[in-house]
Amino acid sequence: MTAPGSADLLEVPTPEPGPGQVRLDVLAAGVCHSDLAVLHGGAAATWTLPFTLGHETCGRVAELGEGVEGLAVGEQVVVHAPHGCGVCPRCLTGRTNYCDRRASLPAAGLGLGLDGGMAEAMVVDAARVVPAAGLDPVAAATLTDAGLTSFHAIEGSRAALAEPDALAVVIGVGGLGHLAIGLLRGLGTTVVAVDTREEALVLARECGADVAVLPADARGAVPARGADAVFDFAGAPSSLELAVSVLRTAGELVVVGSGGGSLTVSKPGALPSGAAVRLPFWGSRPELEAVVGVARGGGLTPRTTTYPLADADRAFAQLREGRLLGRAVLVPAGT
């Protein structure tokens, strides 16, 4: 990315790993709504340009920097992309997504202010990579955000989902939402999926949703008591309004999407008594290891559409127009 709104494909020298780093030959890089937000200005206005987009990456280790141990050339890995200060207690345990200094950091992560994976090669700190041998590289790339963020959001609601006959509502069956449905079904949770697109409702059923409905029919699909947890992957004004309306007393509202909606918190107010609201962000490195394990066990099956890296603009356009189901993934030539 050379300027806000400009994603150009450029020839640059192959990066070389420094001490503690590895160079990866990129096998696949996911495309996310966050990439669209960056392209159209947003936080990119405060980041140093140029940089390479791509925060969902699967690659093959091509070169080891000085002092790197425990990895081998040729090994397939995925990349934990959230950026942290590296020295606070959270960063030291792999929770860079919740770094104590996040507000003052110069970038949010690889591909989000720092060079990411929409390239033929990238250099990353060895501490960021997670072994992912045996997985399809296209599917593996999606695990690093779509899978990881969904997993992290659900893990934080395990107590609510342990209620007898627990029911969860998933609003927005996109790149993250369709994986969240699979993860919730793996816990034995009843799932009601909601989306404005009929084709997304078909995908929701394929992923294991017990019920998949349009927003107008959502209230009738949820028991009178409400849902134990509502996962809003849109975060838009209309989706938040719906989420609050179907939430159970002492239920959990988990706002994952960044669609510009807002909540007024007051007591008493629109939220039911005892409600908890969470705003999860990405996930930790140990959680990414867990997500890779779930995928290896068959518990995550991403729906993907692949594009050549040189055709990134078409992937961005189709995502922007709402024409994609699941996750778009870019594949460099020759992989």
Side-chain angles (χ1 to χ4, degrees), residues 107-124:
L110 303 183
L112 298 170
L114 302 170
D115 285 337
M118 291 187 187
E120 294 180 339
M122 68 183 300
V123 166
V124 299

Side-chain angles (χ1 to χ4, degrees), residues 229-246:
V230 180
F231 299 91
D232 185 353
F233 287 95
S238 59
S239 64
L240 283 174
E241 180 181 358
L242 174 60
V244 171
S245 73
V246 298

Side-chain angles (χ1 to χ4, degrees), residues 159-205:
L161 297 172
E163 292 276 2
D165 300 319
L167 182 142
V169 171
V170 172
I171 302 175
V173 188
L176 279 70
H178 85 287
L179 294 179
I181 291 169
L183 290 167
L184 287 163
R185 290 301 297 136
L187 297 177
T189 304
T190 300
V191 179
V192 174
V194 183
D195 202 287
T196 58
R197 303 166 296 165
E198 290 287 357
E199 60 270 28
L201 300 182
V202 172
L203 175 60
R205 296 184 189 102

Side-chain angles (χ1 to χ4, degrees), residues 1-2 7-13 50-52 118-120 309:
M1 181 173 174
T2 56
D8 304 309
L9 192 62
L10 305 175
E11 289 284 344
V12 298
F51 69 86
T52 303
M118 291 187 187
E120 294 180 339
L309 178 62

Side-chain angles (χ1 to χ4, degrees), residues 105-168:
L105 294 176
L110 303 183
L112 298 170
L114 302 170
D115 285 337
M118 291 187 187
E120 294 180 339
M122 68 183 300
V123 166
V124 299
D125 292 339
R128 286 186 177 275
V129 303
V130 171
L135 295 177
D136 172 65
V138 169
T142 73
L143 301 180
T144 60
D145 179 13
L148 176 58
T149 301
S150 299
F151 181 89
H152 177 62
I154 290 168
E155 281 295 293
S157 292
R158 289 292 288 266
L161 297 172
E163 292 276 2
D165 300 319
L167 182 142

Side-chain angles (χ1 to χ4, degrees), residues 137-324:
V138 169
T142 73
L143 301 180
T144 60
D145 179 13
L148 176 58
T149 301
S150 299
F151 181 89
H152 177 62
I154 290 168
E155 281 295 293
S157 292
R158 289 292 288 266
L161 297 172
E163 292 276 2
D165 300 319
L167 182 142
V169 171
V170 172
I171 302 175
V173 188
L176 279 70
H178 85 287
L179 294 179
I181 291 169
L183 290 167
L184 287 163
R185 290 301 297 136
L187 297 177
T189 304
T190 300
V191 179
V192 174
V194 183
D195 202 287
T196 58
R197 303 166 296 165
E198 290 287 357
E199 60 270 28
L201 300 182
V202 172
L203 175 60
R205 296 184 189 102
E206 292 174 353
C207 293
D210 297 274
V211 181
V213 295
L214 297 169
D217 301 318
R219 292 176 182 84
V222 175
R225 72 177 193 185
D228 298 281
V230 180
F231 299 91
D232 185 353
F233 287 95
S238 59
S239 64
L240 283 174
E241 180 181 358
L242 174 60
V244 171
S245 73
V246 298
L247 189 63
R248 185 181 186 182
T249 299
E252 291 195 9
L253 170 55
V254 185
V255 184
V256 185
S258 304
S262 61
L263 286 171
T264 299
V265 178
S266 62
K267 188 176 180 180
L271 286 166
S273 298
V277 178
R278 292 194 299 110
L279 307 174
F281 175 67
W282 228 330
S284 68
R285 188 187 185 284
E287 285 175 321
L288 179 55
E289 294 174 343
V291 170
V292 169
V294 172
R296 282 199 177 114
L300 271 178
T301 307
R303 168 78 169 265
T304 59
T305 303
T306 59
Y307 301 79
L309 178 62
D311 210 7
D313 280 343
R314 184 163 65 94
F316 292 143
Q318 293 189 344
L319 178 62
R320 187 184 305 114
E321 294 161 6
R323 295 165 57 191
L324 287 172

